[in-house]
Amino acid sequence: MPPKPKAPKGANDLRALIDLTKTTQDLLAHFQSSLGPSTALTAQSTLPTATTSAPEPNPLDVIRATTTLLKSHTTTLSLLLLTPPLTPPAIISKIGDVSSGVLSGMVAAASSVAQPGRKDELGELMRGELRAQVRRLLGTWGEVLVLILRFAERRQGREGEVNGKGKGRDLGPTEAEKQDVLSTTGVLWEACDTLLKVCDSGIVGLVVKKAGEWRSVLLDAVEELKEWGEDVDDEDEDDAEGSDAEDGVFGDEDDIFSAANKLGKGDKELKTLLDMSVKRLKMVGILYQAVIKRRLKPFPDTSSESNGAAEAASSDPMSKLDEVMGLLKSIPETVDELASAFYDLDEEEAKQTLGKCGDEAKSVIALVKLSWSGKEDEFTAWSDKWVAALEAS
């Protein structure tokens, strides 16, 4: 019986590259699912309570290092794809470096949770941001894998067309494929740079950025409420225009469908409540500015502190910061509820929601009235005046 013919070495290499790329795509899907919020909460609840004295690397440092490596490896891969002939062994080696060394370390750092009995160096806001940014980065790496698979399968198809005439000449990628490589690599680079910026800015940079964004959302909502209050529905004019409707003539479509929730001239109490709401919400906007400047920017660097047993939650700066940021995020959401109450002309609901918004703002004050070291300062005195002014408005 004649021996079974062996496939050419090049064909074996291409088959190995295709198989590896597909299994790596499966691994990538697993990595991405492990970064979901529910997965992180489950991991935290199942952590053992016992602790060790060995210090753990700061997740920001790990993610910074692995992200830099991923960018470098992808740059090399793009050159391998652009330069003929296609070299499957070299590409296989790079994919292996990324999967086993880079992504495994990055995902482990991004999915880490605060260890019981130890100070939390990141906080929930930063952990959530890292998970989201790493998931996005993994998505861009997935596009690189799609590109590699397409190149390998196309090259394999060319090998099959040779029909015993020896290896076909690899003419390299087409112009369209070159653009795909450059575009896909550029998207991954951008995702890497964004993640590196998060790591370099640290916790302070993130909380200042987020608080500023939430303040902008708050002030936009206030401006919309103010404009809505100035767009008073003139009932007399509406009655005068009623005869047009009998003739089948209608006014502007927006006027027809928005008339029901316009503030009427007779709604004096609701208008007074609206004016008071706008005034108070502008004060809340000022509070955001003060908290950003006096409390968020001076937040202590937790990575330089001892990694021993954590203090009680009431005196733990990171725990308090998480609570403050939760409130700062919640206030604009409450303002949206307030706006809905006004648009529905529901005075009672508007009163209750305005009170809720004021309570949330005062809760922020209560949390950060003292400095992070527990001392009184200029902000402490200012916060008392701010609360008094809010209650008097």
Side-chain angles (χ1 to χ4, degrees):
M1 182 176 181
K4 184 178 179 180
K6 295 182 179 180
K9 186 176 185 300
N12 286 336
D13 289 342
L14 283 169
R15 184 71 260 168
L17 175 58
I18 291 170
D19 291 343
L20 175 63
T21 305
K22 289 180 178 179
T23 57
T24 303
Q25 288 175 324
D26 294 337
L27 176 64
L28 193 63
H30 171 71
F31 279 155
Q32 289 177 306
S33 66
S34 71
L35 293 172
S38 59
T39 307
L41 291 174
T42 302
Q44 188 174 23
S45 64
T46 57
L47 282 172
T49 55
T51 59
T52 62
S53 58
E56 297 179 357
N58 188 307
L60 290 179
D61 294 337
V62 175
I63 292 176
R64 184 186 294 109
T66 51
T67 301
T68 302
L69 277 174
L70 178 60
K71 189 174 181 180
S72 175
H73 286 317
T74 305
T75 301
T76 303
L77 274 171
S78 67
L79 293 174
L80 291 172
L81 293 175
L82 290 171
T83 307
L86 193 70
T87 52
I91 297 175
I92 288 172
S93 176
K94 278 297 171 186
I95 292 177
D97 290 340
V98 171
S99 298
S100 61
V102 176
L103 295 188
S104 59
M106 181 188 296
V107 171
S111 59
S112 66
V113 294
Q115 294 289 337
R118 295 179 182 272
K119 283 186 178 295
D120 185 2
E121 296 181 353
L122 295 184
E124 286 307 307
L125 184 66
M126 176 59 85
R127 292 184 190 280
E129 183 71 12
L130 290 176
R131 286 194 294 269
Q133 292 295 340
V134 171
R135 276 178 62 89
R136 176 182 174 234
L137 184 53
L138 293 178
T140 65
W141 172 245
E143 292 302 314
V144 174
L145 293 175
V146 169
L147 206 59
I148 293 171
L149 186 60
R150 188 192 311 160
F151 271 60
E153 289 178 338
R154 181 179 65 84
R155 187 68 178 85
Q156 187 182 50
R158 287 184 179 178
E159 290 280 356
E161 294 171 359
V162 175
N163 295 324
K165 297 179 181 179
K167 287 189 177 181
R169 183 186 174 198
D170 189 346
L171 301 177
T174 64
E175 285 301 318
E177 289 172 332
K178 289 179 182 178
Q179 290 304 315
D180 286 343
V181 171
L182 295 175
S183 175
T184 304
T185 304
V187 171
L188 183 137
W189 282 352
E190 189 273 331
C192 286
D193 290 340
T194 300
L195 183 51
L196 288 172
K197 186 175 181 180
V198 171
C199 294
D200 292 339
S201 298
I203 295 167
V204 170
L206 179 64
V207 297
V208 168
K209 175 176 177 288
K210 291 293 185 181
E213 291 173 350
W214 295 330
R215 177 178 179 270
S216 295
V217 172
L218 166 67
L219 295 182
D220 286 345
V222 173
E223 192 60 31
E224 289 180 9
L225 267 178
K226 182 181 177 182
E227 292 177 0
W228 176 80
E230 293 170 350
D231 186 19
V232 178
D233 185 22
D234 194 325
E235 296 175 0
D236 294 336
E237 288 184 9
D238 289 343
D239 292 339
E241 294 173 357
S243 58
D244 291 337
E246 296 174 1
D247 297 331
V249 179
F250 295 94
D252 183 82
E253 181 180 331
D254 290 338
D255 291 338
I256 296 171
F257 292 103
S258 66
N261 67 352
K262 280 187 178 181
L263 189 64
K265 280 187 174 181
D267 295 327
K268 293 183 179 179
E269 292 184 0
L270 192 62
K271 181 65 166 66
T272 299
L273 179 62
L274 175 65
D275 292 341
M276 181 178 68
S277 299
V278 169
K279 182 179 179 181
R280 287 189 178 181
L281 293 177
K282 286 183 177 179
M283 290 183 62
V284 176
I286 294 173
L287 173 63
Y288 273 73
Q289 280 184 306
V291 170
I292 289 171
K293 181 178 180 180
R294 301 293 182 178
R295 289 296 181 258
L296 299 186
K297 287 184 177 179
F299 185 75
D301 180 9
T302 56
S303 63
S304 63
E305 297 178 7
S306 170
N307 199 29
E311 301 173 10
S314 60
S315 60
D316 180 12
M318 188 58 71
S319 175
K320 184 181 290 186
L321 180 65
D322 281 337
E323 194 172 353
V324 170
M325 296 307 291
L327 286 167
L328 293 179
K329 181 178 183 292
S330 175
I331 290 173
E333 297 170 354
T334 304
V335 173
D336 282 343
E337 297 174 10
L338 175 63
S340 296
F342 275 114
Y343 298 155
D344 292 338
L345 305 181
D346 190 336
E347 183 179 350
E348 188 60 34
E349 181 67 21
K351 285 181 180 179
Q352 293 179 5
T353 310
L354 179 61
K356 177 184 176 183
C357 185
D359 290 341
E360 289 174 335
K362 286 187 281 188
S363 294
V364 173
I365 285 286
L367 284 167
V368 297
K369 185 174 182 178
L370 301 179
S371 70
W372 297 111
S373 59
K375 299 178 181 179
E376 294 187 356
D377 56 14
E378 292 180 358
F379 181 85
T380 305
W382 180 89
S383 64
D384 287 336
K385 295 177 181 178
W386 185 90
V387 171
L390 181 73
E391 293 176 345
S393 62

